[in-house]
Amino acid sequence: MKALLVESDFKTPGGYPTAAIERLIKQLNDRDIEVMRATSVPDGESIIDANEPIDCLLLARSMDPKEVDPAQNLLDKLHERQENAPVFLLSDRGTVTKTLSLEMMEQISEFAWILEDSADFIAGRIMAAIRRYRQQLLPPLMSAIMKYNQTHEYSWAVPGHQGGVGFTKTPAGRIFHDFYGENLFRTDSGIERTALGSLLDHTGAFKDSETNIARVFGAEKSYSGVVGTSGNNRSVMQACLTEKLAAVVDRNCHKSIEQGLILTGAAPVYMNPIRNAYGIIGPVPNSEMWYNTIEYKLLHNPFGERDNGYLVLTNSTYDGICYNVAAIERAISPGAGRESIVPVLHFDEAWYGYARFNTMYKNYFAMRDNPKDHASNLSTVVATQSSHKMLNALSPASYIHIRNGEKPLDFPRFNQAYMMHTTTSPSYIIAASNDIAAQMMDGECGQSLTQEAINEAVDFRQALARLYAEFQKKGEWFFKPWNIEKGRKPGEEKDVPFQDIPAEALATDQSYWVMNPDDEWHGFKGLDADWAMIDPVKVSILAPGINVDGTLEDTGVPAALVNAWLARNGIVPTRTTDFQLMFLFSMGVTKGKWGTLLEALLSFKRHYDANTPLSEVLPELAAKYSAEYGALGLKDLGDKMFAFLKQDDLGKLLNQAYDALPTPVLTPRAAYQKMVQGECELVGLDDLHGRVAANAVLPYPPGIPMLMSGEQFGEPVDGKESAQIAYLRALQKWDDTFAGFEHETAGITITDGKYQVMCIKTI
C-alpha cells in the first residue's frame, strides 16, 4: 500500500513539527504502508501526474487562510483518476470553516491534529481508510476472483497445469511460469468453479460484472466477450439473421461481417462509402440510410425480395471517421404508422469504445445519453467494441452493448448465438480485464483518461502543423496532419492557421472536427452536413506528393518508404496508404512517445534530402535485395516509387476499383459452400474477367473488401479490363518492382510472383 505525504506550508509557534511527521511515517511503515514524500504541492502534483498508485493522500499544512488555496488543484488531480481515494489533512488545530473552502472540505476524508493525536492513532485511522477504499475499488468479477484465489484449493479439475505447478516441471515450462508470474496461473480457472458463476450463463460474479459494464457504458444490457469483436459481430448477426432475410451492410466492413453472412445465409445489400484521393475511406452518405432507399434495395435485391433483419455500420472507420448516430437514427426512422425497416441497428465500434466518456464525441456513438430514453418504437441498437484495442483490457477482450427497441433482441435468442461463438473454456483472466477496463472508465476517470489522450493528439497535430508551416516558408517539404488547416479562435471572427488555435479549444470543441461539406481539406465530394467528424486521437499524417483533388505533384515521398524507415526505428503506424500514415493516440501515449515520432519524421527528412545510402538507413533491406537497392540512396528509391505511382496512377485505379459495386451472383454462404465442395479453382489475372470470386478479396490498403464472396469480376469495356482486375494487376506490378515492399492482399494466392484468385468453377 502507498500513501503520498505532501508537506506544504505547516507553520506553528514552535516551528515545523518534524518529529510528529517522522513518528507517523514510522507507524505507517510498520503497517506495510510505503510513504512517498513531496516537499511542496507542485511536487505532489508531479507524482500524481506520473500515475503513481496512491491509496491515501496525506496533506500536511497549517490552517492559515488563503485566497487561492494551492492544494485545491492537487485534490482535483488526485480525484480525476482515483475518485474515492481518502485524503487526510494533517494540521494544527484551527477553525476549519474559516480557512478551507467548501469544495476542499468535501474532498477531505478526515482531519488529524498532528500535534495532539498520537502517531499510532492517526496511522490506525489511515490504515482503516485505505482498507475501505481498497474494498470498494475493484469491480465485481475481479474482486470475486481475488477472493476465490485466497482459498488455495486443491483442484482435481482443468486446467491441467493446476495453478501453474505443471509448468514448473520442465526448464521451458519454468521459464514460461516465471515470465508471467504465479497469479496469472493461479487464476486461470475452468468452468467447474461455480462459486464465481458462469460467463456462458451470465450468472454470479460474471453477471454482476456485466451489469456494471452496462451501467458504465450506458447500455440496457452488456455482455463480456473473450473472442474479440470478430466473435461478437458473428454472435449478433447469428442472433438476427436467417437465410430468408436480408442484411444491409456497410461496404467498409470487417471480414467478420462477411463471415456472419456466410454463417447465416442472409442476402446482403450494400451501402458504399465515399472516398478521397488520399485513399481515406469516408462515410456512407446519409441518403443510403433513408427508409425509401433501403426499401428500394430490398425490393430489388438480386437474390429476390426479402425482409430486412439488420443493418451494420463501422463506427469509427479505420481512418477515424465517426458518424452522427443521432442523425442516422432519424434517417432510418419510419414515418407514422410504418414499422421500422431496420429491426437491429449494429455499430461495429471495435476501435471506438471510449467515445461515451468525453463530450468531444457527443451524438457520434451508439450508446449515447441515457438507456432509459431509448424509445421503444426505434430500432434495437447494438454496439460491439474491442476493449483491448483502445481501452485497457487484454487481447482479445471485447464488449457487446444492447439497447432494445421495437423488436427486442431477447436474451434466449441472443445467448444461443453468443454461446455458439464463445468458447466453453473461457479465460477468466480476459474476462477480468474486461471488468477492470470498465471500472477504469467509470466516473471522472473515464473523462480524465480520454481527455489526456485527446490533449496529446492535439499537441502532436499542432507541433506537426507548425513544422510543416516552417518548412513551407523555406520552400521545403514536410509531413502535415490531416485536419482543418484554418479555424477561428473562440470569440473571434477571423480564421487563423490550425497551429495557432488554442489547444484547449481544439481539445474540447467538437466543431473543429466535424467535416464541413464546403471545406476542401478533407477531399470528400458530396459530403453531408453534420454527418461525420474525424476523431482527434486517430492521427493521419500526409506525405507530400498528392493534391487534395488527386493530382500528383512533380515530386513526392511515398508513405511505404516512410513506413519502412519508421519500422526500422521501432515505430509502427496502424495503417499506411500511398501517401498516408495513421497513428492511434490511445491511453498509453505520452509526450515522450509522440516526441520520438516527431523526431523520427525530422530524421527521415534529413536522410531523404541527403540521399543517404540505403545500406546505412535500411541496411537489412539493402543487404537482402542488394541487386535492386545496393547502390541506391533513400531519395533514389523514393523517386522510383513516386514515378511508379504517377505513371501507373495507383490511387486512381484504387478509387475506380471501389467506386462501383461488383455484380453479386451468389450469396457469400453459397460461394463458401462451393469452396467446401471443391467446386473452385485458382484463376490468374489474365483469365479473371467474368469469373465469380469464391472468397473476399481485400487489398491492403485500404483493407476493406473490393469483392465479397460470390461477386463477379467485370468484363472488359472498350478494350479495357475491369477496374478491380486493373488494380490487382497494378499491385502485382508494384510487388515485382519493389521487393520488400509487397502489398498484403487477403484472398489472393501468389504463385511465382503472379496473383491468383480462388473462383467458382461453374455457375
Side-chain angles (χ1 to χ4, degrees), residues 334 340 374-379 405-406:
S340 175
H374 187 71
S376 60
N377 66 331
L378 296 176
S379 303
E406 186 176 26

Side-chain angles (χ1 to χ4, degrees), residues 320-322 360-361 364 454 457-459 461-462 481-484 498 503-516 519 521-522 532-539:
I321 293 172
C322 316
M360 174 63 73
Y361 305 102
Y364 278 75
I454 293 171
V458 166
D459 287 348
R461 286 176 182 270
Q462 289 196 298
W482 184 63
N483 46 237
I484 59 170
F498 171 78
E504 183 180 0
L506 290 172
T508 55
D509 189 340
Q510 186 187 75
S511 65
Y512 290 108
W513 307 98
V514 174
M515 293 188 288
N516 188 324
D519 290 343
W521 64 266
H522 52 69
M533 65 178 281
I534 65 170
D535 189 340
V537 303
K538 297 184 173 81
V539 181

Side-chain angles (χ1 to χ4, degrees), residues 239-252:
C240 297
L241 296 168
T242 71
E243 58 190 10
K244 295 182 179 180
L245 293 173
V248 182
V249 176
D250 179 1
R251 195 69 181 196
N252 176 26

Side-chain angles (χ1 to χ4, degrees), residues 275-283 317-322 460-461 464-465 479-485 498 512-513 515 520-524 527 532-536 538-543 548 579-582:
R275 314 177 62 81
N276 70 13
Y278 302 127
I280 295 173
I281 306 157
T317 70
Y318 305 120
D319 291 292
I321 293 172
C322 316
F460 173 78
R461 286 176 182 270
L464 187 65
F479 307 93
K480 68 176 181 179
W482 184 63
N483 46 237
I484 59 170
E485 295 176 356
F498 171 78
Y512 290 108
W513 307 98
M515 293 188 288
E520 293 184 0
W521 64 266
H522 52 69
F524 294 122
L527 190 69
M533 65 178 281
I534 65 170
D535 189 340
K538 297 184 173 81
V539 181
S540 282
I541 295 175
L542 301 179
V548 71
F579 294 97
Q580 171 219 18
L581 299 112
M582 184 177 169

Side-chain angles (χ1 to χ4, degrees), residues 264-287:
T264 63
V269 294
Y270 294 108
M271 303 174 291
N272 212 20
I274 59 178
R275 314 177 62 81
N276 70 13
Y278 302 127
I280 295 173
I281 306 157
V284 171
N286 180 299
S287 59

